[in-house]
């Protein structure tokens, strides 16, 4: 396990409550079922690339599960179909990237948006209907109770019917064990795309070092080395609705594994050189 | 075996070719920079190649000396070696430039979209809530 040393200049203290008053939008209550602690502004960020068929169901499930709750932003990653118009018709915020930046690029755009609009918590979820909106309160609860900065939704537990293909499961276990060895955090599902993060994490992830393609295990290690408190909570996930996945194809697992291993090694080397993020 | 490499001067015809080639590289590079078709940052490698070719063409002994320093028997192999080195450096420089440009495009695309989204948000402040 690698010892954590917050780098110089890294904000180790939370900003005073008065700072929130200067934000462009006044804080308001959202996600009222999330817990007893004072509720903060929450943004649900959905990166989407050509998701015209699956996005409506995802937005509907959000509306059904969290009525009048959090704000929602759909980041269209250079979609060429009706993704943008579907999001606009649904009345959610929509950021339309002119070119395809990749999953990480779209996510980072959502992070920048959340920071600039003064949100305190961001929940990232996929557009393919895999992530259960009902688990969002559970996901953000550790952040609201100031127990964690970064929360990952674990889909591999007894109460979740989700079943991943064999190859993907082997990869997930492999990277989970690397994360556990390097960070000491008992992570089971580092490849989960269902996460919640606070402003402290957002400020780190909008920097140049954020991977534009697959931000997974390497980001966990990077955040752990930067002193971020990481928690994993059990969430519900379903099989994705039928459609093209960014993980499909025979070449993708090879490319993903090679890239992720390289990225982890580079993260460790940067840490040794004194540059955590 | 080394007899064939004992020449101390390039034959005049070869020398003329080398000088012409190196002068052409230098002229072309400088002209492209002058016409802003080529950036100064990218031109140094090409200028270096032109100057090295020119110097080695005029001073064959220097080429032989470099060859013996590197342990290369034939001076022509030294030329090929430097040619390969040049191509590798060129590829590296292109990769670095490509990475920087990719990053710049990513940031530009993000900033452009964020500005549009912020503008829309100001125009229609009620939108964006959970549908």
């Amino acid at each position: 396990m690698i010892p954590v040393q917050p780098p110089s200049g890294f904000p180790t203290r939370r900003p005073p409550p008065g700072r929130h008053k200067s934000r462009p939008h006044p804080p308001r209550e959202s996600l009222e079922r999330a817990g007893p602690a004072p509720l903060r502004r929450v943004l649900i960020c959905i990166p989407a690339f050509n998701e015209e068929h699956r996005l409506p169901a995802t937005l509907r499930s959000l509306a059904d599960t969290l009525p009048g709750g959090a704000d929602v932003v759909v980041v269209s990653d250079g979609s060429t179909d009706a993704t943008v118009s579907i999001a606009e018709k649904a009345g959610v915020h929509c950021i339309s990237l002119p070119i395809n930046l990749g999953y990480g690029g779209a996510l980072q755009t959502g992070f920048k948006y959340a920071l600039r609009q003064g949100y305190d918590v961001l929940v990232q979820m996929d557009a393919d209907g895999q992530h259960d909106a009902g688990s969002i309160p559970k996901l953000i609860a550790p952040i609201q109770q100031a127990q964690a900065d970064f929360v990952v939704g674990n889909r591999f537990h007894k109460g979740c019917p989700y079943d991943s293909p064999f190859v993907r499961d082997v990869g997930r276990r492999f990277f989970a064990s690397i994360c556990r060895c390097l960070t000491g955090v008992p992570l089971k599902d580092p490849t989960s795309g269902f996460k919640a993060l606070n402003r402290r994490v957002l400020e780190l992830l909008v920097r140049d070092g954020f991977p534009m393609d697959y931000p997974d295990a390497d980001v966990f290690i990077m955040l752990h080395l930067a002193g971020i408190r990481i928690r994993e909570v059990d969430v519900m996930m379903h099989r994705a609705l039928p459609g093209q996945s960014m993980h499909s194809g025979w070449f993708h697992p090879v490319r993903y594994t090679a890239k992720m291993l390289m990225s982890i090694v580079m993260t460790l080397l940067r840490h040794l050189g004194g540059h955590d993020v | 075996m080394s007899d064939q490499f004992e020449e101390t001067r390039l034959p005049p015809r070869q020398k003329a070719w080398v000088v012409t080639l190196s002068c052409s590289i230098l002229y072309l590079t400088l002209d492209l920079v002058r016409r802003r078709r080529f950036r100064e940052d990218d031109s140094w490698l090409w200028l270096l190649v032109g100057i090295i070719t020119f110097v080695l063409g005029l001073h064959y002994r220097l080429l032989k000396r470099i060859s013996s320093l590197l342990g290369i028997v034939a001076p022509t192999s030294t030329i090929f070696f430097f040619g390969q080195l040049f191509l590798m450096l060129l590829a590296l420089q292109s990769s670095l430039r490509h990475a920087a440009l990719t990053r710049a495009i990513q940031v530009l695309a993000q900033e452009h979209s964020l500005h549009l989204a912020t503008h829309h948000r100001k125009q229609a402040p009620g939108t964006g809530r959970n549908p």
Side-chain angles (χ1 to χ4, degrees), chain B residues 45 85-98:
Chain B
L45 201 56
L85 197 68
F86 165 69
L87 290 177
M88 276 166 55
L89 283 173
L90 199 67
L92 188 68
Q93 190 196 31
S94 300
S95 297
L96 289 172
R97 180 75 56 203
H98 176 255

Side-chain angles (χ1 to χ4, degrees), chain A residues 137-201:
Chain A
K138 203 174 170 187
L139 200 65
I140 64 171
I143 294 177
Q144 289 181 320
Q145 290 156 8
Q147 293 171 348
D149 302 306
F150 186 66
V151 185
V152 189
N154 169 38
R155 66 200 127 159
F156 298 99
H157 57 94
K158 281 180 185 170
C160 182
Y162 183 86
D163 186 28
S164 70
F166 175 73
V167 176
R168 213 179 285 179
D169 197 45
V170 169
R172 193 258 312 169
R173 284 172 191 272
F174 174 64
F175 284 112
S177 58
I178 290 180
C179 283
R180 278 197 300 271
C181 286
L182 292 175
T183 65
V185 180
L187 277 177
K188 289 180 192 160
D189 194 6
T191 55
S192 165
F194 200 16
K195 297 165 188 156
L197 34 149
N198 66 8
R199 284 185 74 82
R200 193 179 170 203
V201 181

Side-chain angles (χ1 to χ4, degrees), chain A residues 28-37 39 66-70 137 144, chain B residues 129:
Chain A
R28 63 171 174 76
E29 289 210 334
S30 54
L31 287 174
E32 298 180 4
R33 285 187 272 157
L39 299 173
L66 306 166
Q144 289 181 320
Chain B
R129 293 292 302 274

